[in-house]
Amino acid sequence: MAAYDYDLFVIGGGSGGVRAARVAASLGKRVAIAEEYRFGGTCVIRGCVPKKLYVYASQFPEHFADAAGYGWTVPEASFDWRTLVANKDKEIARLEAIYKKNVEGAGGDTFHSRAVLVDPHSVYLVAEDRTVSADQILIATGGRPASHPALSGHEYCIFSNEAFDLKELPKAIMIEGGGYIAVEFANIFHGLGVDTTLVYRGQEILSRFDMDLRRSLHETMEKKGIKILCPAVSERVRKTPEGRLDVLLSSGQTLTVDQVMLAIGRIPNTENMGLEGVGIELSKTGAIVVDRYSRTNLDNIWAIGDVTHRVQLTPVAIHEAMCFIETAFKDNPTAPDHDTIPTAVFSQPEIGTVGLSEDDAIKRFPDVEIYRASFRPMRHTLSGREEKMLMKLVVDGASRKVIGAHILGPDAGEMAQLLGIPLKAGLTKDDFDRTMAVHPTAAEELVTMYKPTYRVKNGERV
Ligand SMILES: Cc1cc2nc3c(=O)[nH]c(=O)nc-3n(C[C@H](O)[C@H](O)[C@H](O)COP(=O)(O)OP(=O)(O)OC[C@H]3O[C@@H](n4cnc5c(N)ncnc54)[C@H](O)[C@@H]3O)c2cc1C
């Protein structure tokens, strides 16, 4: 083993890669990590973190409006996009430095370079023009927004990467896509005062989430003033003489906007990094194929996170990194557990969800109980805001286990984190019923829905 420069070389300094490098180094392994852009990866630099900061920024107009009912007079507010971008930049630079320092502090080497595989034990560092060798190699190169070369005028479109750093806030934007990134950005831009249209090819936004939540969020977003056009796709984008963009939709409608953002999926970063040459198996979509322990078809090469196209979330990449460490360095083979992952959509209102949707539960269980409450949260009473909160528990009638929990409303993401625990533990509806409510909260509804709203037996609602 000593014949190699390193025990472990990690390619990609994002959520998964940094965690694996830091922990392996802290175990005394000789570790190096290469990052071609900025340490912290998608999550810190152009994903979760800046996104959430922009969500906060976009919520202030509603807070100002709601304040009146509580007796406050808020003078006319104004917003400066450049201040937000500059402050966001400061914060992510701070986090980026911490990520890098944590690896170095644990004893790992960091390289600011693109890394390319030369053979199963050698990595070429482009910026350094040199090759290093390693016993084990971990690929954690993440993904990037899918482009749309077939769209005429695609060169005028931006992606989430660019949306964070626009020089000017557009007056009007069209966002194409129906996943969580498209929906979150639609809410962000709308909250910041941008005339926003969401265009999605499916029947309803946010496929894979519970249909109740999808419909309710759709309705609420429209009430706020976000235009949602689905099913529809853009067919052509053209620059107008005034420098704006005309988008022709499949419906025949034309939109005139200042920016078109495509959020139509993400693809794994596996090109031009020597993978095919070394013989690493890729899927049809270009993702690295791994076994249940995140090992590729080559014994000493592993892959975790978005590049494997399993579940594309930061905590999942981190969990896969920790399992990789157990397997590769602690002689304790550990397969990542992708079951019952709590998650949030930072829309306005927010979605928090864990477990099976009603539709999926009905497909898998013959007797399903649905507990559903729709109510105006207390904070919206004095403010006069009409928005309702939706809470729903999906229960397997036979075992009484709670197999799904879905929330739409303020702080739903925070609640989903806590609901993840009883669902992961396989607790029953009776356990929920035995739990004392915290009053007055919105979350108390989760333990006070005693009677099923309806049941679905063998696909029939009874
Ligand atoms: C807009 C947006 C919002 C998101 N919001 C959330 C959220 O709210 N919650 C959540 O859980 N997840 C969210 N995600 C997803 C989350 O960011 C990813 O799942 C996570 O970052 C994946 O981590 P990773 O380590 O697999 O890859 P990444 O974090 O993408 O890191 C990969 C790194 O590898 C580098 N790299 C690539 N190729 C090479 C090479 N050849 N040599 C050297 N370096 C290379 C890249 O520059 C990158 O820094 C969001 C993503 C986006 C785009």
Side-chain angles (χ1 to χ4, degrees):
M1 190 187 292
Y4 299 115
D5 299 326
Y6 294 105
D7 299 322
L8 172 67
F9 195 98
V10 181
I11 307 181
S15 308
V18 165
R19 174 59 68 94
R22 178 168 66 77
V23 178
S26 70
L27 293 175
K29 302 292 169 193
R30 295 171 304 139
V31 177
I33 181 169
E35 167 55 50
E36 68 174 345
Y37 181 54
R38 294 178 67 180
F39 279 93
T42 304
C43 175
V44 172
I45 309 297
R46 42 198 182 185
C48 333
V49 173
K51 182 269 303 281
K52 190 82 189 278
L53 295 172
Y54 284 16
V55 169
Y56 288 135
S58 67
Q59 288 171 337
F60 281 95
E62 287 195 356
H63 295 329
F64 297 147
D66 291 353
Y70 287 91
W72 291 92
T73 303
V74 181
E76 200 186 334
S78 66
F79 170 69
D80 184 43
W81 168 252
R82 287 178 195 199
T83 302
L84 174 65
V85 175
N87 289 344
K88 175 270 293 178
D89 284 345
K90 250 188 257 162
E91 174 59 9
I92 63 171
R94 187 183 73 84
L95 295 173
E96 179 187 9
I98 291 175
Y99 269 67
K100 190 162 176 276
K101 207 173 108 201
N102 282 347
V103 176
E104 291 166 352
D109 287 345
T110 57
F111 293 104
H112 201 173
S113 171
R114 182 167 176 79
V116 176
L117 275 179
V118 179
D119 66 46
H121 288 285
S122 309
V123 176
Y124 175 65
L125 295 169
V126 177
E128 309 240 330
D129 190 21
R130 72 180 170 109
T131 300
V132 295
S133 62
D135 182 34
Q136 305 291 315
I137 293 176
L138 176 69
I139 304 171
T141 48
R144 62 181 186 283
S147 58
H148 190 0
L151 173 68
S152 161
H154 65 94
E155 64 276 17
Y156 302 123
C157 302
I158 59 164
F159 301 94
S160 57
N161 286 353
E162 293 78 29
F164 287 116
D165 296 304
L166 293 172
K167 286 207 170 64
E168 304 287 340
L169 190 62
K171 286 203 165 47
I173 191 165
M174 186 202 103
I175 299 175
E176 180 148 9
Y180 79 93
I181 294 177
V183 169
E184 289 174 342
F185 270 98
N187 283 278
I188 289 170
F189 280 116
H190 169 76
L192 297 178
V194 179
D195 178 6
T196 304
T197 307
L198 186 63
V199 172
Y200 177 48
R201 66 179 175 172
Q203 296 290 334
E204 186 54 277
I205 57 171
L206 291 175
S207 61
R208 295 203 296 264
F209 286 81
D210 187 88
M211 189 51 99
D212 236 356
L213 262 61
R214 297 165 67 188
R215 287 204 192 105
S216 304
L217 177 64
H218 182 144
E219 215 180 286
T220 312
M221 285 170 62
E222 282 188 329
K223 276 193 193 142
K224 285 179 195 276
I226 300 171
K227 285 160 275 200
I228 303 179
L229 307 176
C230 62
V233 290
S234 55
E235 293 198 328
R236 188 198 66 213
V237 182
R238 267 195 196 151
K239 203 146 210 157
T240 70
E242 299 76 36
R244 303 192 78 198
L245 297 170
D246 273 347
V247 189
L248 174 66
L249 300 181
S250 49
S251 57
Q253 190 180 349
T254 302
L255 302 175
T256 303
V257 295
D258 305 293
Q259 292 287 356
V260 175
M261 173 178 154
L262 302 180
I264 52 175
R266 292 182 59 81
I267 49 173
N269 285 328
T270 49
E271 286 108 345
N272 306 320
M273 43 178 298
L275 301 186
E276 294 89 341
V278 172
I280 289 182
E281 189 187 346
L282 300 179
S283 73
K284 277 194 197 122
T285 55
I288 296 180
V289 177
V290 288
D291 69 9
R292 52 194 293 261
Y293 299 105
S294 303
R295 194 191 294 260
T296 69
N297 57 316
L298 299 194
D299 242 20
N300 71 311
I301 303 190
W302 312 71
I304 54 165
D306 284 9
V307 74
T308 61
H309 222 283
R310 287 176 282 184
V311 181
Q312 295 164 290
L313 291 169
T314 285
V316 175
I318 291 172
H319 171 67
E320 289 168 0
M322 296 307 282
C323 293
F324 156 74
I325 294 287
E326 289 294 321
T327 307
F329 295 116
K330 290 186 163 180
D331 200 19
N332 176 29
T334 306
D337 175 2
H338 294 113
D339 192 40
T340 316
I341 297 172
T343 184
V345 179
F346 296 100
S347 45
Q348 296 162 42
E350 211 166 280
I351 281 181
T353 181
V354 53
L356 297 179
S357 66
E358 176 177 341
D359 289 344
D360 285 344
I362 290 168
K363 279 183 211 144
R364 286 168 54 176
F365 295 88
D367 180 11
V368 174
E369 292 173 4
I370 302 296
Y371 297 77
R372 184 185 189 282
S374 172
F375 58 95
R376 197 180 195 192
M378 193 173 180
R379 73 154 78 167
H380 291 339
T381 52
L382 295 198
S383 71
R385 188 166 291 283
E386 286 296 332
E387 256 169 68
K388 289 214 166 149
M389 188 144 193
L390 174 62
M391 290 196 178
K392 190 166 164 180
L393 294 179
V394 181
V395 175
D396 167 26
S399 67
R400 305 281 299 140
K401 273 190 188 166
V402 180
I403 50 177
H406 311 283
I407 303 169
L408 177 73
D411 303 322
E414 305 287 341
M415 288 183 231
Q417 178 64 85
L418 299 179
L419 282 167
I421 302 167
L423 265 75
K424 192 76 191 163
L427 297 192
T428 64
K429 180 66 174 60
D430 308 317
D431 295 314
F432 276 61
D433 293 347
R434 286 192 296 115
T435 304
M436 197 67 78
V438 179
H439 183 74
T441 63
E444 66 185 302
E445 208 68 33
L446 291 165
V447 295
T448 53
M449 293 190 283
Y450 298 116
K451 288 215 162 79
T453 313
Y454 54 92
R455 270 184 119 99
V456 184
K457 284 198 165 178
N458 300 313
E460 295 281 321
R461 190 159 157 167
V462 290

